[in-house]
Amino acid sequence: MTGNVRPENMARITDKKLADAFIEEQIKELRAQIGDGKVLLALSGGVDSSVVAALLIKAIGKQLVCVHVNHGLLRKGEPEQVVEVFRNQMNANLIYVDAVDRFLNKLENVSDPEKKRKIIGAEFIRVFEEEARKLEGIKFLAQGTIYPDILESDGVKSHHNVGGLPEDLDFELVEPIKLLFKDEVRVVGKALGLPDGMVYRQPFPGPGLGVRCTGAITRDRLEALREADAILRDEFAKNGLAKKVWQYFTVIPDFKSTGVKDGKRSFDWPVVIRAVNTKDAMTATVEEIPYEILNKITNRILSEVKGVNRVLYDLSPKPSATIEWE
Ligand code: XMP
């Protein structure tokens, strides 16, 4: 796609027919741009990078090299899904990098939210750079930039894009969805055959669970958070809330409170449920989850997640609160 301005006459992609036409056109453009060159893509498994990967696999097959960095802050089942969908089902050239220890060691004892973000961003670039250097003949770097990222160029996306690579790795950019809005990316993803779990995924911050495990991240608290989040997502899916609510997740604060367990006093963590609706993420309102569902989620978290003795529901709109806790 050339140019950074969406032409006024560009039709909004709202159905499969329009998506198929877009895909056909992109395949032609991508082949013309790339020729027999090799393309590198950081594949997080989020909607945007997944759609770019699927488009490129269609256009150039094994000339695409995807790198999936597991930084240990992904949700339960995500790294496995990336491998299953892209390597096993789509037969992509996928390098899976287990960088969990690297990230968690770097984050040890770091409690300042901005420092945590910086460490995660910088380490991500370092891991990706190392992988890029191991490969030969890469000429292009594909990115899942979308139109809102261009419109708000200081946007949140900068946190998980791989801008910031050293100058000697000066790849030519390939950005096939840069003129699309999010809803269009989803329609294209569906037409490309990506699973619903990927296409309709809620927004997930680049630093992942790192901003929801407040303060200094510890492995046991992170694991409790990941389990609680999986329970929340499971119950939202079962109760028809997953597609209705814009963003929903759990948070685990870095303090403990008293409880009782097996007749004795315990001292364990709370888990906070957050579920919000918004149009642009600048303001947000709280979803009114039916009480029975809240109750079911609470009981499951308390009985299934080790180290947790309380469940709280965050009733704060944005403003005054932000959507994330850090
Ligand atoms: P806040 O917490 O500022 O979040 O109300 C607004 C939206 O942005 C997402 N978010 C991030 N996304 N890197 C990202 O890629 C980040 O560091 C980050 N912080 C917040 C958040 O999930 C919400 O959708």
Side-chain angles (χ1 to χ4, degrees):
M1 243 183 201
T2 48
N4 274 353
V5 181
R6 187 173 164 119
E8 258 174 44
N9 62 355
M10 184 172 157
R12 192 91 174 192
I13 303 170
T14 49
D15 60 24
K16 175 144 176 27
K17 205 169 148 228
L18 292 165
D20 285 340
F22 172 83
I23 293 165
E24 282 316 307
E25 187 194 315
Q26 278 315 304
I27 289 175
K28 273 193 220 131
E29 283 191 25
L30 287 168
R31 286 183 182 152
Q33 183 189 1
I34 297 161
D36 59 3
K38 274 197 197 166
V39 183
L40 188 60
L41 168 72
L43 177 58
S44 67
V47 191
D48 305 334
S49 66
S50 296
V51 168
V52 169
L55 265 175
L56 282 160
I57 291 165
K58 263 199 147 165
I60 57 161
K62 296 273 187 189
Q63 285 163 252
L64 172 71
V65 182
C66 303
V67 175
H68 177 66
V69 178
N70 180 0
H71 54 27
L73 303 166
L74 298 169
R75 288 169 291 192
K76 190 173 176 174
E78 281 185 332
E80 294 83 357
Q81 189 188 35
V82 169
V83 172
E84 172 57 28
V85 170
F86 290 98
R87 185 186 285 161
N88 301 350
Q89 294 173 19
M90 295 190 154
N91 198 21
N93 220 335
L94 172 73
I95 298 170
Y96 169 82
V97 187
D98 179 349
V100 176
D101 286 338
R102 248 178 103 152
F103 278 82
L104 296 187
N105 291 344
K106 276 251 150 78
L107 287 163
E108 216 166 62
N109 300 319
V110 181
S111 57
D112 180 76
E114 281 317 308
K115 278 199 190 127
K116 285 165 70 178
R117 271 198 172 76
K118 284 214 173 83
I119 290 172
I120 296 165
E123 195 60 15
F124 184 86
I125 291 168
R126 219 166 290 140
V127 172
F128 190 75
E129 181 194 336
E130 281 173 22
E131 292 305 316
R133 290 197 189 284
K134 286 185 207 158
L135 299 163
E136 274 177 19
I138 301 281
K139 200 169 153 206
F140 301 92
L141 180 71
Q143 288 203 328
T145 316
I146 65 172
Y147 205 44
D149 302 327
I150 291 177
L151 295 177
E152 324 144 13
S153 49
D154 63 334
V156 277
K157 207 41 168 305
S158 60
H159 291 281
H160 53 186
N161 277 2
V162 267
L165 283 174
E167 272 180 19
D168 65 312
L169 292 176
D170 58 344
F171 305 120
E172 185 181 319
L173 286 184
V174 174
E175 297 178 300
I177 57 170
K178 72 176 177 189
L179 296 185
L180 302 193
F181 289 100
K182 196 78 175 191
D183 52 303
E184 300 181 293
V185 178
R186 294 192 208 277
V187 178
V188 170
K190 186 94 184 127
L192 284 163
L194 290 173
D196 279 8
M198 251 172 194
V199 172
Y200 298 108
R201 202 135 117 170
Q202 48 168 330
F204 188 58
L209 298 181
V211 296
R212 298 174 183 171
C213 189
T214 71
I217 298 168
T218 57
R219 288 171 196 247
D220 46 4
R221 215 153 49 83
L222 181 61
E223 223 24 65
L225 171 65
R226 203 183 329 264
E227 287 303 318
D229 176 74
I231 292 170
L232 181 78
R233 287 191 290 139
D234 183 44
E235 290 299 328
F236 264 47
K238 282 183 185 153
N239 290 286
L241 291 171
K243 280 193 189 169
K244 182 175 168 243
V245 182
W246 193 80
Q247 199 171 10
Y248 49 96
F249 53 86
T250 55
V251 175
I252 191 157
D254 61 344
F255 59 79
K256 289 184 170 179
S257 71
T258 51
V260 251
K261 202 181 201 168
D262 308 323
K264 279 193 231 127
R265 258 170 110 78
S266 67
F267 199 49
D268 282 321
W269 300 301
V271 157
V272 181
I273 295 173
R274 185 110 174 100
V276 296
N277 290 307
T278 176
K279 282 207 159 56
D280 55 8
M282 301 301 286
T283 61
T285 54
V286 175
E287 169 73 15
E288 291 180 25
I289 308 175
Y291 192 77
E292 324 77 85
I293 301 175
L294 272 180
N295 212 18
K296 176 85 196 294
I297 296 168
T298 301
N299 290 335
R300 278 195 61 190
I301 291 175
L302 292 178
S303 65
E304 294 173 35
V305 184
K306 219 173 129 220
V308 172
N309 65 357
R310 278 175 205 268
V311 175
L312 316 175
Y313 186 23
D314 185 346
L315 293 172
S316 328
K318 176 179 181 177
S320 61
T322 49
I323 294 174
E324 302 289 348
W325 268 48
E326 277 191 344

